[in-house]
Structures are given as structure tokens and as C-alpha cells.
Amino acid sequence: MKTIAETALAVVALTVGLMSSGCGSHESKPLPTTSMAGSKDATEGDNAKPKGDPAHPLVQIHTSLGEITVKLDAEHAPITVTNFLSYVSSGQYDNTLFHQILTKPAVVIGGGFDGFFKEKPSELPIRNEAHNGLKNARGTIAMARQPDAIDSSTCQFFINCGDNPQLNYRSDTAEAYGYCVFGEVTSGMEVVETMAKSAVHDQGSLTSTPVEPIAIRWIHVVQ
């Protein structure tokens, strides 16, 4: 299986020549009523149900560098938000890492490795909602996936440190389907920017890993 760094870098290599024609607005497709074969239609996570607006719940990511508050968008990415909240509810993200810091695209990636850089098991992949019209702009949160499989997102996510139009939906092919945005940072972007400036090195199968580990202590629903 490709590492997430290889995933992100591969999609850039595949899309850079198409950026000029692939960054415009796109009408959202209607979401399927059932998940595709081999995917889960994320409906779990009752313990992480929002206490406020169910369409735009707030979650807080507690990291070793500070707190990041994210407003999720269940209106545009219902499957993805429910999946993310299910992982939050189960404690999947407790004591994990932001394990990769990339500059092209400018992202910080986390949620898949524990403090010993061991990849955590995940649930089945979900339907990719990258066609929802949301863009990989600075401060948005999106799901990582394998570049050769449209519906391959599980628990790993990334925060865009800059505008990354090459990661947006452009067509229905695997290399151009894009990465699903499902929310945006409302506070704590300075924490993300600090992460983005971290010194990195290669460690085992992972590239661009922070020299000083950046921990995700836990994630919880604020409202």
C-alpha cells in the first residue's frame, strides 16, 4: 500500500498539467443513497453527534502545539463528516500523530499513525464526496486517499496550509477525482502554520515526517 506522502505527491504529478482546466467550479453530483460495493456508508458515531447545528458541528483537535477548532460541513459532505465523527467517537485519533508535512501540495497530514509511527487499523473506506463543490483552499480539512482508487478514504485527513487547486475534483477518473473537503478551520490556524514550518526527515517508509513529533492528543465535539 502506498504511503500517504506517495498518495499526495502522486496526485500532484498526475494533475499538474491539468490544473488550468480543472480548477473551475463544478456542479455537485447527487450523492448516492447507498455506498459503493466494498465501502461503508458511514452511519455510526452516535456518541459524537453534535450538540449544536447538526449540519455544521464544531470539533476541536488537541495537539502538542495547541488547539485547532474545525467547523465540519455535513451539508456538503454528509458521508465524510459522519465517518470522521465515528472515528472521533471511537477514540481512533487519541494519541496519534500529524505524521507528514508536505510543501507541494502544502498540507499537514494526520490521523493514521500512533506515537510509535505504527499505522492504526481502520474501518472500510467510504464514498468519495470530492465532487461536492468544496475546494482545497487554505484552512480547509480534507480526507486523504490512494491516488489510484477514488473511494479509498478511511481515517487519515489533512489540513490545507495553502490553496491546493490540484487536489480538487476535476473529472470522474481516479487521478482527477480529487480529495474531499469536509470542513474548515475556524481557529488555531497559527498552530497549523507552525506545523507547516517544522523541520522534517524521512523515517522508515514515511517521508517528510516532523523531526520533533507532533501529537494529536485527542479530538472531541465542541458543539
Side-chain angles (χ1 to χ4, degrees):
M1 179 177 291
K2 294 181 176 64
T3 67
I4 299 304
E6 290 171 331
T7 295
L9 292 172
V11 75
V12 173
L14 288 168
T15 61
V16 66
L18 301 174
M19 286 174 61
S20 61
S21 61
C23 300
S25 61
H26 237 287
E27 291 184 1
S28 298
K29 299 179 181 178
L31 295 176
T33 56
T34 58
S35 62
M36 296 184 67
S39 301
K40 78 169 181 177
D41 207 348
T43 55
E44 301 89 358
D46 288 344
N47 293 333
K49 284 185 176 179
K51 305 173 184 64
D53 179 2
H56 299 97
L58 289 178
V59 299
Q60 194 164 64
I61 305 172
H62 295 262
T63 82
S64 54
L65 295 178
E67 283 69 51
I68 305 165
T69 302
V70 178
K71 182 179 182 181
L72 305 180
D73 192 341
E75 180 180 358
H76 289 89
I79 294 172
T80 308
V81 168
T82 303
N83 176 68
F84 182 78
L85 291 177
S86 175
Y87 282 118
V88 169
S89 177
S90 70
Q92 171 81 8
Y93 298 123
D94 295 358
N95 301 311
T96 57
L97 298 168
F98 276 101
H99 58 274
Q100 285 176 309
I101 310 295
L102 304 180
T103 56
K104 293 182 179 181
V107 297
V108 296
I109 308 169
F113 289 78
D114 66 19
F116 298 97
F117 290 91
K118 180 180 179 182
E119 189 167 8
K120 299 190 69 172
S122 61
E123 301 297 331
L124 292 174
I126 59 168
R127 175 74 169 93
N128 189 342
E129 298 174 293
H131 54 267
N132 61 14
L134 301 180
K135 306 301 181 184
N136 282 274
R138 179 182 178 277
T140 57
I141 186 171
M143 295 302 297
R145 70 170 177 90
Q146 297 179 42
D148 57 353
I150 292 174
D151 300 314
S152 56
S153 296
T154 56
C155 61
Q156 294 192 41
F157 62 90
F158 61 88
I159 298 174
N160 287 289
C161 305
D163 293 341
N164 293 307
Q166 69 270 44
L167 303 182
N168 293 337
Y169 170 84
R170 298 189 318 282
S171 76
D172 288 343
T173 61
E175 64 270 18
Y177 207 92
Y179 293 73
C180 177
V181 171
F182 63 100
E184 62 180 344
V185 173
T186 59
S187 67
M189 196 60 196
E190 69 279 2
V191 176
V192 178
E193 291 170 346
T194 299
M195 290 184 197
K197 297 175 183 176
S198 299
V200 297
H201 63 167
D202 296 344
Q203 179 166 322
S205 63
L206 292 174
T207 61
S208 300
T209 296
V211 173
E212 293 294 330
I214 302 171
I216 299 174
R217 291 171 174 157
W218 73 92
I219 302 177
H220 76 281
V221 178
V222 177
Q223 66 180 48

